[in-house]
Amino acid sequence: MVKKVDHIGIAVKNLEEALEFYENTLGMKCVETEIVEEQKVKVAFLPIGDTEVELLESTEEDGPIAKFIEKRGEGIQHIAYRVDNIEEAIEELKSKGIRMIDEKPRYGAGGAKIAFLHPKSTFGVLIELCERE
Ligand code: ZN
């Protein structure tokens, strides 16, 4: 069902400071930033090999990333796996009894279609399915 690690989502308090580290210290390059209103986040994508790092900064105090950082601190927030057909993947997971946060795909940064699985069904990891053109 899943083809590759599409990206790793990392929650940060300050995107500019995080980018400073990723670009100037690690030598990665940010290719795109975007504000995703629906999820109250500003994201930055940094490709590395066949995958990407997605840095996420909350744009609102009550956004999901702000709440994540409040509870667990900065760090890895989710792992996104690429799928070819997200609707089919969601249906298959549901038929196998997997608890979904999103039962329908929603908009993700970069125009992807995404859906999250509930960590209670995934051994504690927030998994995102990601379909791209
Ligand atoms: Zn993501």
Side-chain angles (χ1 to χ4, degrees):
M1 180 190 297
V2 299
K3 305 299 180 189
K4 58 173 267 192
V5 175
D6 186 87
H7 62 269
I8 297 168
I10 299 175
V12 301
K13 288 181 185 164
N14 183 307
L15 195 57
E16 294 308 313
E17 286 176 20
L19 278 174
E20 168 82 17
F21 168 73
Y22 278 89
E23 293 194 307
N24 296 341
T25 305
L26 295 184
M28 292 166 71
K29 182 110 188 73
C30 175
V31 291
E32 190 187 0
T33 61
E34 180 180 346
I35 290 174
V36 182
E37 304 279 357
E38 189 194 341
Q39 288 160 58
K40 300 175 180 174
V41 286
K42 185 172 180 191
V43 303
F45 279 101
L46 300 98
I48 176 82
D50 193 30
T51 188
E52 289 184 304
V53 167
E54 177 188 45
L55 301 176
L56 304 127
E57 178 196 289
S58 191
T59 54
E60 307 277 343
E61 274 176 35
D62 65 342
I65 293 301
K67 285 181 188 157
F68 174 87
I69 291 175
E70 197 179 297
K71 270 204 327 222
R72 315 218 347 218
E74 293 177 295
I76 293 177
Q77 198 254 351
H78 65 270
I79 294 183
Y81 294 113
R82 178 82 61 87
V83 293
D84 288 334
N85 184 320
I86 197 163
E87 284 88 359
E88 276 178 24
I90 291 170
E91 286 314 309
E92 187 177 338
L93 288 165
K94 279 164 65 181
S95 78
K96 288 176 173 169
I98 301 301
R99 194 167 147 195
M100 299 296 298
I101 292 174
D102 301 306
E103 301 214 340
K104 296 254 180 291
R106 56 170 145 143
Y107 176 84
K113 289 202 277 185
I114 65 168
F116 286 98
L117 282 64
H118 198 287
K120 283 216 157 64
S121 283
T122 63
F123 302 88
V125 177
L126 179 59
I127 290 177
E128 173 189 321
L129 302 178
C130 179
E131 179 190 325
R132 293 184 192 278
E133 291 295 303

